[in-house]
Each structure stands twice: as structure tokens, then as C-alpha cells.
Amino acid sequence: MPLDFARSLREKKRMSDSPILRKAAIGDAAAIAAVIAASFEQYRGKLVPESGAFREMPENIAAELERGVGAIVAERNGQMLGCVLVEEMDGDLYFGRLSVVPAARGQGLSKQLIAAVEAEARRRGLDGVRLGVRIVLTDNQRLFQALGYRETSREAHPGFDHPTSINMRKPLS
């Protein structure tokens, strides 16, 4: 009997250790801002121009959510581990600020969040999913390419005379 009880506890622990993805609420804005800050910290001082992620504040995110921008968050045991912001753009669903806190990396959360974005785009009847990625972030580009995203264009941030970002898109059938 004690072994069955212990096995039951282990199974419940494993089940609760699985991440849960859900649509964000306005009340999640502070946690979303914290996840973005923690996730993008590795890029501080390495991106030119500096990432706009460092200017994401809870009040800005709350305002975006209020105006209709969406967000999907990944949680485990009530702790937010990742997030992504989404917005309809030109018949597609655009996603940005894909973020996973450093302690939760390597567990497939980015792929799960992207799959959730794609599912949301399908639910909305949209044609595809778009994103932008910095040219210097080649690991991120490889991830997106492996998931079926293809380069559609390059663009320069304001004040730059050369491309700094790649636009990518995945058509949905």
C-alpha cells in the first residue's frame, strides 16, 4: 500500500511538472514583463540597436493587451516560464517577444509556444504566421527555419543603412 501511494504522488508530481499554455490576461502583464526581461538579458549590449525588449514595462504590456494584442504564456506549478506576444498583421498572425526564462530552457517551451501561436492562427482562419528576427541571432533563425519559417525580406531599424532584421513567414494550410 505505501508503494502505491508513493507511485501515485510521483505520477501527480510529474503531471504538475508539465507546462501549461494559456491565453494571457491583463493581470499577467507584470509577470510577462519579468519573463521578457529575464529572457532577453543575454542580449544586453550585444544587439545593435539594443533590443526594444528592454523597454517592455508592465504598464506597456497591459496597454497592449487592452488594445487587443494577445499573449500566450507557459506556466509550471503557477510560475510563468515563457511567453509570446501575438497580433494580426496583413492576414497573418505575427508573433514577437518569444521568451523563455533561462532556468526553463532546453525543455522545448519555445517550440510549444510557437505551436500554440500557429494553432491560434489556424483557429482565427489566418493564412500564415510571421515573425522578425535579428540578423545576428543565427541560432534563432535556425530554430525558425527548422519549424518551416522562410525569409521573406530584410529590413533596417531606424537610423541604419543596412539590414538588421529578417522577416520570416510560415504559410498555414
Side-chain angles (χ1 to χ4, degrees), residues 17 19 32-44 46-47 51 53-54 74 76 79-83 97-113 137 139-140 143:
D17 283 346
I32 291 170
V35 167
I36 291 171
S39 178
F40 278 76
E41 186 58 35
Q42 72 184 37
Y43 302 125
R44 189 176 295 280
K46 296 178 183 166
L47 297 177
S51 175
F54 299 119
R76 180 179 296 126
Q79 180 182 5
M80 194 177 294
L81 303 174
C83 63
R97 302 291 190 249
L98 176 64
S99 304
V100 175
V101 296
R105 292 189 180 147
Q107 301 172 25
L109 285 176
S110 288
K111 289 179 183 176
Q112 290 176 43
L113 285 163
L137 300 180
D139 288 343
N140 293 4
L143 168 66

Side-chain angles (χ1 to χ4, degrees), residues 98-162:
L98 176 64
S99 304
V100 175
V101 296
R105 292 189 180 147
Q107 301 172 25
L109 285 176
S110 288
K111 289 179 183 176
Q112 290 176 43
L113 285 163
I114 293 168
V117 170
E118 293 172 5
E120 178 61 17
R122 284 184 184 94
R123 187 190 71 73
R124 294 183 187 194
L126 300 173
D127 295 330
V129 177
R130 297 175 187 237
L131 64 97
V133 60
R134 294 292 185 99
I135 289 174
V136 298
L137 300 180
T138 55
D139 288 343
N140 293 4
Q141 292 169 40
R142 279 191 289 278
L143 168 66
F144 300 135
Q145 288 169 347
L147 296 174
Y149 290 81
R150 299 294 174 252
E151 181 176 331
T152 58
S153 64
R154 293 181 179 220
E155 62 185 43
H157 282 80
F160 286 79
D161 62 359
H162 61 278

Side-chain angles (χ1 to χ4, degrees), residues 41-78:
E41 186 58 35
Q42 72 184 37
Y43 302 125
R44 189 176 295 280
K46 296 178 183 166
L47 297 177
V48 178
E50 191 81 283
S51 175
F54 299 119
R55 294 186 300 277
E56 295 287 8
M57 298 291 138
E59 52 275 6
N60 304 73
I61 292 171
E64 289 292 301
L65 293 171
E66 284 177 354
R67 81 167 181 83
V69 170
I72 301 168
V73 300
E75 296 179 324
R76 180 179 296 126
N77 296 324

